[in-house]
């Protein structure tokens, strides 16, 4: 009798189910007869979480001494280059890492007292890792290495100019001016520097005399813009930080917060960049690292309202410093510049004289473009200083001298790396010494750059 198509399908399914059942019975019988291997460790199969790990992933009860997933929040990592946070590890992975014995965790510590390197970054030297060097020498060493690219570019030409004893002074100065312009010192500042060198030196001056005269001329230009830091009295110090997109403004705010916290006490940071996507989250990550309070609202909120809340919070909690992070904006956008003025007006009504400091963050890699940025922001905010970020990544650090000469603005801080400790106070003498210093042994560098005793 012929089977219908429907009956054929039913029969095929029944046969497949029967075969699967037979295979399962055979496998169970084989496992029951096979004794466990002595070398096989007890516990869950490789690649499978144990009961405690599975419970941690579900937020359920764990064994004694094991923290639950709800007891502590996992540390958030810094934002990536695209402005998004990296993917967090799976709960099972976190539980397994927390359950590691202390000996393994201790083995990851770096030798010689240095801090272990963060993910994706080198080990950084701290004051604790060099007990024989004081803070001044460590700062000088960082400045020396931070201006390394600018120094290499400048000295590549200057060494050739100064390495010809007996050359006419006029010819030497002409080539020296070209070298300064190439290092983004600026045409006007280069001409002023070379003019001062000519006045100080007589024909037949040695290369070292020319170098020393140039160094002293640079220091004079930079020191002429020096201003004492603002003193708000008993009120919190309010610092407004501005800058165009991508100059390192948000990270500079976090570094400032860490520095002011160590020097002055509690700090409140205002997340007034409510325009850029993920800007508030990025600042929140940095503030957790620096262990400072962050006042924030939703994206798209009024930046002046955020600044107002931060000032009120600082007053009520006794914070000594308020740092306002503003949205990055093109210096050619008039409406956004007006927003900065509004923030300044709002905080000025709450605290007399606020914002006491108005700092512009500029990218050292932009060279002379930083001059035009600073000029426009000065007209809108009456800037009191400049933070030069990414100096360690640029060969155009000579723009510091151009900013001081053309705009009369002091450089307050320079960024020499990505760590919280890598924002250094700017010292004109140290900078010029490092910029024109010859390559020497490390010990000689530190001693030569050490600030003179008071």
């Amino acid at each position: 009798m012929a089977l219908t198509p429907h009956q054929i399908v039913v029969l095929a399914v029944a046969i497949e189910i029967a075969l699967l059942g037979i295979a399962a019975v055979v496998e169970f019988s084989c496992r029951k007869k096979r004794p466990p291997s002595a070398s096989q460790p007890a516990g869950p199969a490789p690649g499978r979480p144990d009961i405690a790990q599975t419970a941690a992933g579900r937020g359920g009860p764990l064994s004694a001494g094991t923290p639950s997933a709800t007891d502590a929040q996992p540390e958030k990592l810094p934002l990536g280059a695209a402005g998004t946070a990296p993917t967090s590890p799976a709960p099972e992975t976190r539980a397994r890492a927390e359950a590691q014995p202390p000996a393994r965790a201790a083995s990851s510590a770096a030798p010689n007292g240095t801090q272990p390197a963060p993910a994706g970054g080198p080990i950084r030297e701290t004051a604790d890792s060099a007990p024989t060097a004081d803070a001044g020498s460590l700062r000088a060493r960082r400045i020396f290495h931070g201006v390394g690219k600018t120094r290499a570019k400048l000295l590549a030409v200057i060494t050739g100019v100064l390495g010809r004893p007996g050359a006419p002074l006029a010819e030497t100065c002409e080539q020296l001016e070209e070298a300064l312009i190439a290092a983004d010192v600026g045409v006007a500042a280069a001409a002023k520097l070379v003019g001062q060198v000519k006045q100080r030196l007589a024909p037949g001056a040695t290369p070292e005399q020319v170098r020393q005269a140039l160094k002293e001329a640079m220091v004079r230009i930079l020191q002429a813009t020096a201003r004492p830091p603002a003193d708000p009295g008993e009120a919190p110090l309010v610092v407004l930080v501005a800058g165009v997109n991508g100059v390192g403004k948000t990270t500079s705010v976090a570094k400032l917060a860490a520095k002011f916290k160590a020097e002055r006490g509690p700090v409140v940071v205002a997340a007034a960049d409510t325009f850029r996507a993920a800007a508030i989250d990025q600042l929140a990550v940095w503030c957790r690292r620096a262990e400072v309070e962050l006042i924030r609202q939703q994206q798209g909120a009024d930046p002046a309202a955020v600044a107002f809340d931060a000032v009120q919070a600082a007053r009520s909690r006794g914070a000594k410093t308020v740092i306002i992070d503003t949205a990055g904006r093109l210096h050619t956008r008039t409406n956004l510049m007006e927003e900065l003025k509004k923030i300044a007006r709002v905080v000025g009504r709450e605290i007399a004289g606020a914002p006491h400091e108005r700092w512009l963050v500029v990218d050292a890699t932009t060279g002379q473009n930083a001059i035009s940025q600073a000029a426009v922001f000065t007209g809108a905010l009456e800037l009191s200083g400049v933070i030069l970020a990414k100096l360690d990544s640029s060969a155009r650090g000579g723009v510091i001298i151009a900013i001081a000469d053309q705009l009369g603005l002091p450089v307050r801080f320079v960024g020499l790396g990505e760590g919280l400790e890598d924002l250094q106070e700017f010292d004109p003498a140290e900078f010029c010494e490092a910029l024109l210093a010859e390559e020497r042994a490390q010990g000689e560098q530190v001693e030569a750059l050490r600030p003179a005793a008071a």
Side-chain angles (χ1 to χ4, degrees):
M1 162 175 86
L3 297 177
T4 65
H6 177 71
Q7 291 173 332
I8 294 174
V9 172
V10 172
L11 180 61
V13 172
I15 295 174
E16 184 177 359
I17 293 175
L19 292 175
L20 290 174
I22 295 173
V25 171
V26 172
E27 182 180 359
F28 177 78
S29 301
C30 294
R31 286 185 178 182
K32 189 173 181 180
K33 294 179 180 180
R34 184 172 59 244
S37 175
S39 61
Q40 182 177 2
R48 296 184 180 179
D50 59 17
I51 297 176
Q53 293 167 354
T54 307
R58 297 193 306 264
L62 303 179
S63 59
T66 305
S68 67
T70 58
D71 290 339
Q73 296 295 330
E75 181 182 0
K76 293 187 177 181
L77 300 178
L79 298 178
T84 58
T87 304
S88 300
E92 294 85 354
T93 305
R94 286 200 303 270
R96 188 180 296 112
E98 292 171 356
Q100 286 182 349
R104 178 176 297 181
S107 65
S108 62
N112 302 327
T114 56
Q115 298 296 326
I123 295 177
R124 298 191 178 278
E125 185 175 19
T126 63
D128 294 336
S129 66
T132 59
D134 58 21
S137 64
L138 288 174
R139 183 180 66 250
R141 188 184 306 177
R142 284 174 174 163
I143 291 288
F144 182 88
H145 292 296
V147 300
K149 292 185 178 180
T150 303
R151 179 176 60 250
K153 181 177 180 179
L154 184 60
L155 291 185
V157 180
I158 290 182
T159 302
V161 173
L162 302 183
R164 298 182 295 120
L169 181 61
E171 180 182 345
T172 298
C173 289
E174 181 180 352
Q175 296 181 9
L176 184 60
E177 183 175 355
E178 295 175 358
L180 293 172
I181 294 174
D184 275 272
V185 172
V187 176
K192 181 181 292 187
L193 288 171
V194 171
Q196 294 182 16
V197 170
K198 286 182 179 179
Q199 291 177 0
R200 289 209 54 186
L201 298 180
T206 65
E208 185 56 35
Q209 289 174 333
V210 176
R211 186 192 302 269
Q212 185 64 28
L214 176 61
K215 186 189 311 178
E216 293 174 358
M218 288 181 173
V219 172
R220 280 194 295 271
I221 290 179
L222 294 173
Q223 288 181 341
T225 64
R227 302 179 187 177
D231 182 11
E234 297 298 324
L237 173 68
V238 181
V239 180
L240 179 64
V241 182
V244 303
N245 293 305
V247 297
K249 177 175 50 61
T250 299
T251 53
S252 295
V253 166
K255 295 172 186 178
L256 282 174
K259 186 174 186 62
F260 280 132
K261 178 188 174 184
E263 296 177 354
R264 294 175 51 85
V267 175
V268 171
V269 176
D273 183 358
T274 60
F275 177 76
R276 179 170 63 90
I280 299 175
D281 294 334
Q282 180 186 12
L283 186 60
V285 170
W286 279 101
C287 287
R288 279 195 295 271
R289 286 183 175 183
E291 298 181 351
V292 297
E293 183 177 2
L294 175 67
I295 303 299
R296 57 189 290 178
Q297 292 188 14
Q298 297 298 322
Q299 184 178 351
D302 184 1
V306 180
F308 174 85
D309 291 345
V311 170
Q312 293 296 325
R315 277 178 155 179
S316 62
R317 297 162 197 175
K320 299 298 183 181
T321 309
V322 178
I323 305 176
I324 304 174
D325 177 32
T326 61
R329 63 204 71 220
L330 292 175
H331 50 290
T332 55
R333 296 286 297 276
T334 305
N335 59 327
L336 294 179
M337 300 302 288
E338 290 298 323
E339 186 179 89
L340 280 178
K341 296 179 183 179
K342 179 182 176 182
I343 295 175
R345 289 195 304 269
V346 168
V347 298
R349 287 197 297 263
E350 298 302 312
I351 299 179
H356 307 99
E357 297 283 4
R358 310 176 187 209
W359 293 339
L360 176 69
V361 180
V362 296
D363 187 345
T365 62
T366 61
Q368 288 295 303
N369 189 37
I371 303 295
S372 59
Q373 295 175 19
V376 175
F377 276 95
T378 298
L381 279 179
E382 297 182 2
L383 296 176
S384 61
V386 171
I387 299 174
L388 191 67
K390 308 178 187 179
L391 181 60
D392 58 315
S393 302
S394 173
R396 312 172 79 174
V399 72
I400 290 180
I401 300 172
I403 291 174
D405 178 64
Q406 297 183 32
L407 302 177
L409 289 174
V411 176
R412 299 294 196 181
F413 299 92
V414 290
L416 302 174
E418 298 179 357
L420 287 173
E421 75 283 0
D422 289 330
L423 189 71
Q424 301 292 316
E425 291 186 30
F426 180 74
D427 182 278
E430 284 183 354
F431 173 78
C432 296
E433 175 68 33
L435 187 62
L436 296 175
E438 297 178 350
E439 297 293 339
R440 292 168 288 183
Q442 182 68 25
E444 295 180 25
Q445 293 172 5
V446 175
E447 292 301 323
L449 299 177
R450 189 188 303 274

